[in-house]
């Protein structure tokens, strides 16, 4: 059933939109049909909140700790004169996102952990010193209008 058909079904059967599962399902269907499978791996309300902030604030410079589908998805909503900086500590993932990225305003910065033990997704037990360069890079790039924390480190 298409998104429009589902909306008509909901309306004709008096299904209430204040039922969060119905609302979320419809929104996920809309995102899926409109953007395909390229939506972030987040709950819909998180996508909605970040999209709202981007539309409302119209940031000229965004920092995202971590990179991934959210980087590719949300960066399409910034102005052509804006910058999006994503900092990633996992080299293979940073490369994959960089190669997938088509937005020239987006810069993926690979910053390995200071302690090579944490260069993959293993972060349990890490300290500030283990990720010092990753954590301090924004001071060289900023200031920022919006900061999104979507990383593990």
């Amino acid at each position: 059933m298409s998104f429009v058909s589902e909306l008509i079904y909901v309306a004709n059967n008096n299904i209430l939109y204040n039922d969060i599962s119905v609302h979320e399902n419809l929104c996920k269907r809309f995102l899926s049909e409109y953007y395909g499978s390229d939506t972030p791996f987040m709950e819909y309300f998180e996508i909605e909140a970040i999209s709202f902030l981007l539309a409302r604030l119209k940031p000229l410079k965004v920092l995202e700790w971590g990179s991934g589908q959210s980087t590719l998805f949300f960066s399409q909503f910034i102005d052509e004169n804006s910058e999006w900086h994503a900092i990633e500590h996992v080299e293979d993932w940073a490369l994959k996102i960089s190669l997938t990225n088509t937005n020239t305003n987006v810069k993926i910065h690979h910053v390995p952990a200071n302690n090579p033990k944490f260069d993959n997704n293993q972060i349990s037990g890490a300290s500030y010193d283990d990720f010092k360069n990753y954590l301090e890079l924004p001071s060289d790039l900023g200031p920022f209008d919006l900061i999104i924390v979507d990383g593990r480190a």
Side-chain angles (χ1 to χ4, degrees):
M1 178 181 292
S2 75
F3 176 71
V4 173
S5 299
E6 191 167 337
L7 278 178
I8 292 169
Y9 174 82
V10 166
N12 288 339
N13 290 286
N14 294 320
I15 297 174
L16 299 175
Y17 282 99
N18 62 358
D19 178 341
I20 191 68
S21 62
V22 171
H23 175 76
E24 184 139 338
N25 183 45
L26 287 174
C27 292
K28 284 180 182 178
R29 292 285 305 267
F30 169 75
L31 285 171
S32 176
E33 288 190 23
Y34 190 76
Y35 293 106
S37 61
D38 297 334
T39 57
F41 305 121
M42 299 176 165
E43 294 296 326
Y44 173 73
F45 72 89
E46 295 169 312
I47 296 170
E48 191 172 37
I50 294 170
S51 298
F52 173 80
L53 285 173
L54 289 169
R56 182 82 168 165
L57 298 176
K58 299 183 185 336
L60 294 177
K61 202 165 191 181
V62 177
L63 168 66
E64 181 183 21
W65 260 302
S67 67
Q69 199 58 46
S70 59
T71 308
L72 304 174
F73 180 81
F74 291 123
S75 64
Q76 68 185 318
F77 299 114
I78 62 171
D79 187 71
E80 64 186 31
N81 298 320
S82 296
E83 298 175 26
W84 189 286
H85 294 271
I87 303 173
E88 178 61 51
H89 77 284
V90 179
E91 185 175 20
D92 293 345
W93 187 249
L95 180 60
K96 179 178 180 171
I97 298 304
S98 293
L99 293 173
T100 308
N101 176 42
T102 59
N103 187 335
T104 57
N105 299 3
V106 174
K107 306 291 182 251
I108 310 296
H109 304 273
H110 171 245
V111 182
N114 295 75
N115 181 343
K117 171 184 174 182
F118 298 106
D119 277 346
N120 56 27
N121 281 329
Q122 166 62 32
I123 60 164
S124 180
S127 70
Y128 177 85
D129 289 334
D130 293 325
F131 283 94
K132 184 175 184 193
N133 294 343
Y134 174 88
L135 296 169
E136 293 183 357
L137 178 67
S139 62
D140 296 333
L141 304 172
F144 296 96
D145 301 309
L146 180 66
I147 297 174
I148 300 170
V149 180
D150 189 25
R152 296 185 189 189

